[in-house]
Amino acid sequence: MQTKTLKIIPLGGLGEFGMNCLAIRWEDDILVIDAGLMFPETELLGVDVVVPDISYLVENKAHVRGILLTHGHEDHIGGLPWVLQELKVPVYGTEFTLAYVEGKLEEHKMLDEIDLIEIQPKKKFTIGPFTIEPIRVTHSLVDCVALAIDTPVGVIIHTGDFKIDLSPPDGKPFDLHTFAEYGKRGVLALLQDSTNVERHGYTPSEWAVKPRLDELFSRTQKKLFFSCFSSSIYRIRIALELARTHGRKVAVIGRSMNESTEIAQDLGYLDIPPGLIINPGQLRDFPPEKLMLLISGTQGEPMSALSRAAVDTHKHAKIEPGDTVILSSRIIPGNEKSIFRVIDHLYRRDANVICDDGSSGLIHVSGHGSREEMRLLINLVRPEYFIPVHGDYRYLRQHAQVAEETGAIGGAIVIEDGDVLEVNQQQARKNGKVTAGRVLIDSGSTIDVVEDLVIKDRRTLSEDGIVLAVLALNKKSGLVERLPEVVMRGFGGSDITEPAREVVMRCLDSLSPEEKADYGVVKEKVRVELKRFIQKSTGRRPMIMPVVMEI
């Protein structure tokens, strides 16, 4: 009778959306699946990203054999630079995923320190007691895989993010056959993506957006701005094909969009005909009706290309009356205000703005499977134990209920970050907890572990102080009514208040009237300029809080 157990330990992503990270342990060997991040809530002042607390992995670093990546989205790979500071272990991923990882590690000057090992669907490899087979799945990103891991007590399958698309634009469909083969052989546990459990039916194929987009391309009389997630290679491919069909030249605008299209082209996921892409500096050489701008910034990020174009401060992307802007993406919860603010600015420019309102054809489809796809996969795999992953607790609970309703599983178990689930062929049970939680990261700082925001605020105030920049702006004219007040507390040494006021004034003077009317942009630009000036002058990184007063 098998008495040893396999331990499944989620460290992120079960109880929240984002920062997906899960450990699998057999005796003295640990595999890690994904190392993602999440973006902070608005109340986390000064925090740029949030990554999982990997104290458990650090305590057991001698036993960690590698990190397996399912795909290249930020919520699955974004935490790697911080995780790899603590764990110098090999990273396994598909070709496209590793191309994204290389860029991240190069940015953090870590590329030479880490072994990146390419994996391919249907090609098994072994790490310690584990034999892993990547299985092709479809998602909103290309080159995504599920992981079938053969352990001493049985096979567990982690789906990663998926939807079942049998005719994706790259011609590499979801591999239902391999999932079915594993189902025939017997699967101990299935860990399945819960993201869309509240959606009934099936998620449409990526091709479903093409008819509506084709119609929009055909009726657009002037310039066409097309914005989607820079990682949505399928969507970019469809947009480029339509641009070519409708006789439009394409300019790629925005750093992330440029990087993604270059990687996709290099790896053969985009076949761009010669002459289709033009340099942004050539936009003036073509009539508006012959142009499409593929532009990043679909979530209304303050400094993104689309946000700057919306307030007419982008060097190349000029939005003029009658231009059409297509936002081919979903609104990520928490981004509503910034997105609607950008849309407001677009309307001020008399642009035609097309969002995914669902009223007249699809311009965006999800990358996650809906309930019927979840049921289909569960019925194919027929696992002994079902474990929902990815999402808030209510999603995990609903997903467990959906799995139980199929009648194709032995039992469903809901676990959260830090739970230790012990599994073998006889039983599965929760047995204790490990440290799990969030690590708050300030851009440019070393890893800063805090368990409570209040503690972090107190530490920041005690060590580096606080800066209040009080700005008085005329609501109607946008003019600066009086000199800004800069209040500094917790600083020693020379008085830099007056130079700081001059920095704020120069920053305000550089803003356009439309930017001054957008207090979100004003605050962010003032914060960035003050942060740069104070860090250069004093070496301190205080909490900077711009306050705008309407006069």
Side-chain angles (χ1 to χ4, degrees):
M1 183 174 176
Q2 177 63 261
T3 57
K4 293 181 180 179
T5 60
L6 181 77
K7 293 185 172 110
I8 297 174
I9 308 168
L11 299 174
L14 274 72
E16 69 277 311
F17 280 107
M19 64 177 198
N20 296 294
C21 186
L22 182 132
I24 296 169
R25 180 167 190 164
W26 175 262
E27 300 290 284
D28 286 336
D29 293 282
I30 299 173
L31 285 184
V32 180
I33 298 177
D34 291 330
L37 59 72
M38 64 188 289
F39 293 103
E41 300 93 342
T42 53
E43 63 266 22
L44 294 179
L45 297 170
V47 175
D48 296 302
V49 296
V50 182
V51 297
D53 185 337
I54 59 162
S55 299
Y56 173 76
L57 299 179
V58 174
E59 291 163 7
N60 295 276
K61 64 166 59 178
H63 306 306
V64 179
R65 305 297 175 226
I67 300 174
L68 308 174
L69 303 176
T70 57
H71 67 287
H73 274 145
E74 286 291 289
D75 57 335
H76 292 259
I77 69 168
L80 273 174
W82 291 278
V83 173
L84 293 173
Q85 284 178 13
E86 303 289 340
L87 306 170
K88 298 293 192 289
V89 297
V91 176
Y92 298 78
T94 59
E95 183 181 35
F96 191 88
T97 301
L98 291 185
Y100 273 0
V101 171
E102 282 180 12
K104 285 190 170 300
L105 298 186
E106 193 168 18
E107 183 181 337
H108 287 79
K109 299 180 173 55
M110 298 174 66
L111 189 54
D112 295 335
E113 302 174 31
I114 306 298
D115 288 334
L116 301 181
I117 301 170
E118 185 183 333
I119 61 176
Q120 295 179 13
K122 307 202 80 162
K123 291 194 175 179
K124 295 183 179 181
F125 59 98
T126 299
I127 303 174
F130 307 105
T131 299
I132 301 105
E133 180 177 5
I135 307 173
R136 172 81 63 196
V137 298
T138 44
H139 183 41
S140 55
L141 186 63
V142 298
D143 217 8
C144 304
V145 290
L147 299 168
I149 303 172
D150 202 342
T151 78
V153 291
V155 174
I156 67 168
I157 296 179
H158 190 297
T159 65
D161 286 356
F162 81 97
K163 70 176 181 181
I164 298 178
D165 192 342
L166 300 179
S167 59
D170 64 358
K172 298 176 180 178
F174 188 99
D175 188 358
L176 284 172
H177 178 74
T178 299
F179 280 100
E181 285 296 315
Y182 273 102
K184 288 177 187 175
R185 287 166 42 194
V187 172
L188 181 64
L190 172 64
L191 289 77
Q192 191 183 63
D193 175 21
S194 305
T195 305
N196 268 358
V197 71
E198 294 189 335
R199 292 191 186 184
H200 294 268
Y202 293 88
T203 300
S205 166
E206 287 295 315
W207 284 119
V209 302
K210 192 171 183 179
R212 171 67 169 149
L213 292 179
D214 190 20
E215 175 199 338
L216 293 171
F217 271 70
S218 65
R219 76 176 197 213
T220 296
Q221 301 298 315
K222 293 191 175 180
K223 291 196 299 296
L224 193 152
F225 290 76
F226 189 89
S227 187
C228 63
F229 294 118
S230 59
S231 60
S232 296
I233 305 303
Y234 293 141
R235 198 73 43 80
I236 291 170
R237 176 173 176 159
I238 289 170
L240 292 174
E241 288 178 4
L242 289 171
R244 182 186 182 190
T245 301
H246 292 275
R248 290 179 180 268
K249 298 291 184 181
V250 179
V252 182
I253 309 289
R255 189 184 73 165
S256 61
M257 192 66 78
N258 269 294
E259 289 175 353
S260 283
T261 52
E262 286 175 10
I263 290 170
Q265 195 172 2
D266 290 344
L267 299 183
Y269 287 94
L270 290 177
D271 184 14
I272 302 175
L276 180 64
I277 301 288
I278 61 171
N279 188 287
Q282 298 175 271
L283 285 167
R284 294 177 183 174
D285 300 338
F286 296 88
E289 66 273 13
K290 296 294 182 184
L291 292 173
M292 182 188 91
L293 286 78
L294 184 61
I295 189 166
S296 58
T298 184
Q299 295 302 299
E301 303 91 331
M303 302 307 292
S304 67
L306 184 61
S307 291
R308 285 183 285 142
V311 293
D312 203 22
T313 59
H314 195 282
K315 183 179 180 181
H316 300 295
K318 301 293 182 186
I319 297 175
E320 295 165 332
D323 288 347
T324 295
V325 181
I326 298 175
L327 301 175
S328 180
S329 63
R330 72 183 181 99
I331 296 176
I332 294 177
N335 292 348
E336 294 89 350
K337 283 187 178 179
S338 55
I339 294 172
F340 294 144
R341 192 166 57 226
V342 168
I343 291 174
D344 265 6
H345 290 312
L346 294 172
Y347 275 109
R348 289 180 189 278
R349 313 231 83 76
D350 285 332
N352 302 312
V353 184
I354 312 295
C355 304
D356 183 25
D357 58 6
S359 60
S360 51
L362 292 169
I363 62 169
H364 172 70
V365 292
S366 174
H368 300 270
S370 300
R371 281 197 176 191
E372 291 308 313
E373 288 148 279
M374 294 173 178
R375 289 191 177 104
L376 172 57
L377 200 58
I378 291 166
N379 279 306
L380 280 178
V381 174
R382 305 186 73 80
E384 183 61 31
Y385 304 111
F386 177 83
I387 304 159
V389 295
H390 306 167
D392 297 337
Y393 188 81
R394 76 176 190 274
Y395 288 81
L396 306 180
R397 177 61 67 189
Q398 288 181 59
H399 199 181
Q401 291 171 352
V402 168
E404 287 169 344
E405 289 165 5
T406 66
I409 63 172
I413 305 161
V414 176
I415 56 175
E416 295 182 90
D417 296 346
D419 285 341
V420 178
L421 180 67
E422 295 187 344
V423 187
N424 62 21
Q425 290 153 350
Q426 283 76 44
Q427 65 174 352
R429 67 187 183 100
K430 296 181 193 177
N431 186 16
K433 291 183 79 74
V434 303
T435 301
R438 308 187 301 178
V439 176
L440 310 179
I441 304 294
D442 288 346
S443 181
S445 72
T446 55
I447 196 161
D448 182 19
V449 180
V450 287
E451 296 180 4
D452 190 307
L453 185 58
V454 174
I455 295 174
K456 178 180 185 295
D457 287 346
R458 288 175 178 171
R459 184 183 302 147
T460 302
L461 292 169
S462 65
E463 293 177 357
D464 286 324
I466 184 170
V467 176
L468 291 176
V470 184
L471 320 172
L473 302 181
N474 187 298
K475 184 178 181 181
K476 292 184 178 179
S477 67
L479 295 174
V480 181
E481 286 290 334
R482 59 174 65 96
L483 284 175
E485 289 291 333
V486 178
V487 181
M488 299 186 179
R489 293 291 181 266
F491 279 84
S494 60
D495 185 1
I496 59 168
T497 302
E498 282 304 317
R501 290 175 71 180
E502 293 171 10
V503 168
V504 175
M505 275 304 300
R506 285 198 298 270
C507 179
L508 292 174
D509 289 341
S510 70
L511 300 179
S512 69
E514 199 160 359
E515 285 179 303
K516 286 178 183 174
D518 188 335
Y519 293 156
V521 172
V522 173
K523 288 180 181 180
E524 182 62 13
K525 291 209 172 185
V526 168
R527 189 187 73 81
V528 168
E529 290 300 318
L530 272 179
K531 179 180 178 182
R532 185 179 297 128
F533 169 73
I534 293 169
Q535 194 167 2
K536 185 177 179 181
S537 303
T538 68
R540 299 291 187 98
R541 302 185 75 254
M543 180 183 293
I544 299 173
M545 298 181 65
V547 178
V548 176
M549 297 178 62
E550 288 182 352
I551 303 296

